[in-house]
Amino acid sequence: MSTPKAPAADQTLRILSLLASSRGPQPASMIAQRLGLPRSTVYQLLQTLQEHGFAMHLPDERRYGLGIAAVELSSAYARQEPLARLGGPLVAALVDRVRLSGHLAVPHGRDVLYVIEERAPGSPSLVTGVDVRLPMPLTASGRAILAVLPKAQLRALFPDRAAFVRRRDTGDPRAPGNDGAGVEAGARGAAGAAAPARDPEIDRYSRLRAVLDETRTRGYAIERGSVTEGLASIGSPVLDHRGWPVAAIALTFPEREVDADRLPGLAAEVRAAADTLSARIHGRGAVR
């Protein structure tokens, strides 16, 4: 291997590549050992990466993982033309088969960012247009992505209650419900009609973990009226070659129009589309 012309840049990129290829946060000593770098250099570079949001320190575990800025950088690639070109036909075909609205979303920090929206004929109007950002814990797309993250990485993203956005939190203009719009779709039920039960509020890490444990057991993510009464969504993750979630495909529908016994079949359709997209980006399908 030739001597790099910019050693500091080379070392920094090697650290990022190692963190990205690992299934969870790593101790600085292990990073130094695996890369053959002095510990002092690794600590200095990790501190700089942490200051810019590309690395996150977990003091209780004495480990370092990818920071939110690194996650956003990776999703920036996923938002570009290749993913849209590959995923667009799959979402359109899915919508044609099941006659329900579909979406493709990518992780963006603690949010999901929608890159494709395909509305079924006669379906309610949606707020999940291209470039719309919504909190991950409140959406089926986000829950599908979070459910396959390593626990240490999940904890790094949601270290305390301040990391959670409440459904009716009027202090955040991004919080769903402030403008009357929904999380995965934006139509209200008929005036005066009794609304189906909503999902419990996810406002702390323990509740998020419980929801994600149920998601893994069930085999797909589901969201029922997290903000919009009467609307539900189901989602499945798109994985890269490391098994890391880079996107999710979801369906949204009025809950009263879809019987509970139809959900497993719809989930299988969503999983099949997500697994196909995983394969097309040289990744792999989710482990079932």
Side-chain angles (χ1 to χ4, degrees), residues 5 30 50 199:
K5 295 182 179 179
M30 180 64 68
Q50 187 178 354
D199 286 342

Side-chain angles (χ1 to χ4, degrees), residues 97-172:
R97 287 195 303 273
V98 302
R99 312 305 291 174
L100 300 173
S101 296
H103 324 275
L104 176 66
V106 297
H108 191 279
R110 297 187 185 100
D111 298 338
V112 287
L113 186 144
Y114 291 88
V115 295
I116 291 175
E117 176 199 60
E118 191 75 25
R119 192 188 305 181
S123 65
S125 61
L126 307 176
V127 298
T128 49
V130 174
D131 291 334
V132 170
R133 287 173 54 188
L134 296 173
M136 274 206 278
L138 301 186
T139 70
S141 299
R143 294 176 188 180
I145 291 169
L146 295 175
V148 293
L149 282 180
K151 292 181 180 179
Q153 190 65 42
L154 180 69
R155 186 57 169 169
L157 281 173
F158 297 93
D160 51 42
R161 295 188 69 166
F164 293 89
V165 176
R166 297 174 63 86
R167 284 193 296 248
R168 303 287 179 173
D169 191 351
T170 57
D172 186 343

Side-chain angles (χ1 to χ4, degrees), residues 123 135 217 278 280:
S123 65
T217 300
S278 296
R280 290 187 180 180

